[in-house]
Amino acid sequence: MLTFLALAMILTFIILLSKKKLSVFTALTLVPLFYGLIAVTLNGGTVIELFDWITQGIFFKQNLETGKVSWGVISPGITILFSILYFDLMLNVGLFDPIAEFFIKKAKGDPLKVTLSTVMVASVVALNGDTTTTIIICLAAFLNLYKQLKLKLSYLAIIIVGPIGIWNQLPWGGPTIACSTAMGVELNELFAALLPGLLVAQVVVIVVAGYLGMKERKRLGYKAGDDGEVSEESIQQMLSAIREKDPELKRPKLYAFNLILTLGAIFILIKGYVHGSVVFMLASAIALVINYRSVKECNERLEALASDVLPTALATLGAGVFSGVLSGSGMAASLANTIANIIPTSLGSHMAPIYALIAAPAICFLPQDAFYFGIASVIKDVMGQFGITPIQAAVASMAGQSFRLISPVIPALYLLCGETEQNFVGFQKEYTKYFWVVLVTYMIVFGITGAIPY
């Protein structure tokens, strides 16, 4: 019965999100509440017992035999809140602007330089973890240039989203947050395991962008040294896409300070010296006071960024209800045991790479939270029965991010397709044609580092 309830709860959650009948926060909260009430009724328990499961999912639970305390979602939830706040502040003050401007100036009229500049600008802007912002800025900076040079707009689209799929996996990115919360692993530990794969994937994406630039050189008959440079006026128009985005918020004179503060925060986070929530809480407070001196300006920034910060933080806390009911009721263990009994013993030790390959299409076509909270959180327990650690299971889940940025459930991609004059299916095919290599890269690198056991 518990297995049936678990499946029903997960499917209801996925369907309601996919059909957009509930928001992420309300689905994570109300669906498990409904099925939790059924579970305690069937078990002859009380509503107080259900509230205990939810409390443990949000805050912590203690093993009475070993005394070990397992944190709920409150730990990553606070980290998420302040990390998003911090990097939104850094985007506002213009921390990433000089690097983006440098690559735009280098592009000139050479198709190879243009594609390489595109991928580098997209990589820099994507560090803030926001897909929509990255797409808007890169389109504003490069769309007219591609049209002027008669470069393929389909290449512009896939070059923009290639780095986004990689750098969305930073500790303040939505996928990493969802995976960390659903799988019950610390953000900094998950990121440390992902980092080697992300760095190599970035190199691969640059190589692919270079290959596309060489193809365009050949198609257009361009030769290095030709007098085909873009006018200074056109370059200034591209730079304005960076410079004119909220100019009143930028703080160029404080660039060195903001850079040092950011590098220091990231270093401390990766090293694990201090909990991520403390790192970004303090860094956010320092960044606010130094960059926006008056109380009025600080309050205005906090109010303006609340729309970015709150939805993800609320969804993370709502996930505590989902995970608390799923685990506390015994549904998760029952479902995991059922699945484990079906899997042949000979395949059990190879579950991680098999699951990583399956995760790619799954995370492409399912809402992100539906995948991580509805599927990955259960598969983690199944893999645990074959000796695969939660971190390894989490990394296997993240490998599917290589195809996340062609998902039909990401609204910003329709803007991208419209501006680059192509239909969505054509965009998916073009991306898959060139960037399948990112998934292969993850599988190889994570296999070498042991992040995905083979």
Side-chain angles (χ1 to χ4, degrees):
M1 180 56 73
L2 285 176
T3 299
F4 172 78
L5 275 180
L7 285 171
M9 184 170 109
I10 291 167
L11 288 174
T12 302
F13 173 69
I14 291 173
I15 291 169
L16 289 173
L17 276 188
S18 300
K19 298 291 185 180
K20 297 182 179 179
K21 299 296 184 182
L22 290 176
S23 68
V24 174
F25 171 69
T26 53
L28 284 168
T29 305
L30 299 181
V31 172
L33 181 63
F34 173 76
Y35 283 97
L37 286 170
I38 296 176
V40 294
T41 301
L42 292 175
N43 292 335
T46 65
V47 177
I48 299 300
E49 189 176 358
L50 171 60
F51 289 156
D52 284 340
W53 300 339
I54 294 172
T55 301
Q56 291 172 2
I58 295 175
F59 295 101
F60 66 90
K61 61 182 176 181
Q62 184 176 22
N63 187 312
L64 297 178
E65 295 181 1
T66 63
K68 183 180 179 181
V69 173
S70 301
W71 281 104
V73 299
I74 193 69
S75 174
I78 299 176
T79 301
I80 288 159
L81 190 151
F82 287 108
S83 62
I84 294 175
L85 173 63
Y86 180 78
F87 281 95
D88 272 4
L89 284 170
M90 289 300 103
L91 185 67
N92 288 161
V93 301
L95 179 65
F96 310 120
D97 290 2
I99 303 173
E101 291 182 15
F102 170 80
F103 288 113
I104 288 174
K105 290 175 182 178
K106 288 293 182 182
K108 301 295 176 91
D110 183 345
L112 175 59
K113 290 181 179 179
V114 170
T115 57
L116 289 175
S117 295
T118 305
V119 76
M120 295 309 297
V121 170
S123 301
V124 171
V125 180
L127 293 177
N128 82 311
D130 184 73
T131 298
T132 303
T133 299
T134 304
I135 288 174
I136 290 173
I137 290 176
C138 290
L139 282 175
F142 288 101
L143 185 59
N144 288 336
L145 177 62
Y146 273 67
K147 289 180 176 179
Q148 184 178 345
L149 296 179
K150 297 181 172 59
L151 300 176
K152 288 185 178 180
L153 296 183
S154 61
Y155 286 176
L156 171 61
I158 64 174
I159 290 173
I160 288 174
V161 300
I164 298 176
I166 296 170
W167 299 116
N168 266 2
Q169 298 177 69
L170 289 167
W172 48 90
T176 315
I177 290 168
C179 183
S180 168
T181 306
M183 309 291 267
V185 297
E186 287 293 331
L187 266 172
N188 62 325
E189 291 181 22
L190 177 56
F191 179 61
L194 291 172
L195 188 57
L198 303 185
L199 294 175
V200 178
Q202 174 66 21
V203 174
V204 169
V205 166
I206 294 171
V207 170
V208 172
Y211 171 71
L212 296 177
M214 294 297 289
K215 286 188 67 176
E216 287 296 82
R217 267 186 173 183
K218 184 177 180 180
R219 183 178 69 85
L220 298 171
Y222 178 92
K223 294 181 181 178
D226 282 356
D227 294 328
E229 294 192 352
V230 180
S231 67
E232 183 63 27
E233 181 182 356
S234 295
I235 292 176
Q236 290 305 317
Q237 288 177 350
M238 290 186 285
L239 292 175
S240 68
I242 306 293
R243 294 170 178 168
E244 293 179 8
K245 181 174 173 55
D246 302 322
E248 71 282 1
L249 301 178
K250 297 188 187 298
R251 297 293 185 268
K253 293 181 180 180
L254 294 170
Y255 183 82
F257 170 81
N258 288 319
L259 179 62
I260 293 170
L261 180 63
T262 301
L263 293 176
I266 293 173
F267 175 79
I268 294 170
L269 177 74
I270 294 174
K271 284 293 186 179
Y273 294 142
V274 183
H275 193 276
S277 61
V278 177
V279 173
F280 287 117
M281 180 190 292
L282 297 177
S284 296
I286 294 169
L288 273 171
V289 169
I290 299 298
N291 289 282
Y292 304 104
R293 297 298 179 88
S294 71
V295 173
K296 181 175 180 292
E297 283 183 310
C298 289
N299 288 336
E300 286 176 348
R301 283 293 79 224
L302 290 174
E303 290 173 7
L305 297 177
S307 60
D308 286 343
V309 174
L310 285 180
T312 306
L314 287 175
T316 304
L317 295 174
V321 181
F322 192 96
S323 60
V325 171
L326 195 66
S327 299
S329 65
M331 289 188 218
S334 179
L335 181 57
N337 288 332
T338 301
I339 296 173
N341 290 333
I342 297 172
I343 297 171
T345 305
S346 58
L347 290 179
S349 60
H350 304 294
M351 261 201 77
I354 294 171
Y355 170 62
L357 293 173
I358 295 172
I363 201 167
C364 176
F365 291 103
L366 285 174
Q368 182 167 276
D369 294 286
F371 171 76
Y372 283 114
F373 293 105
I375 296 175
S377 60
V378 174
I379 296 298
K380 174 199 72 172
D381 294 331
V382 177
M383 287 196 276
Q385 297 188 34
F386 295 98
I388 299 168
T389 68
I391 282 288
Q392 291 172 330
V395 172
S397 295
M398 292 295 287
Q401 289 295 324
S402 51
F403 281 90
R404 177 62 182 171
L405 263 292
I406 57 170
S407 171
V409 301
I410 300 178
L413 295 181
Y414 295 101
L415 165 68
L416 180 64
C417 289
E419 292 294 319
T420 54
E421 302 171 9
Q422 58 183 325
N423 62 52
F424 195 83
V425 174
F427 162 70
Q428 288 179 315
K429 289 179 178 177
E430 194 79 351
Y431 178 92
T432 304
K433 179 180 178 181
Y434 294 105
F435 284 105
W436 57 269
V437 69
V438 175
L439 176 59
V440 175
T441 299
Y442 285 152
M443 298 297 289
I444 293 173
V445 175
F446 292 146
I448 292 172
T449 62
I452 294 181
Y454 285 82

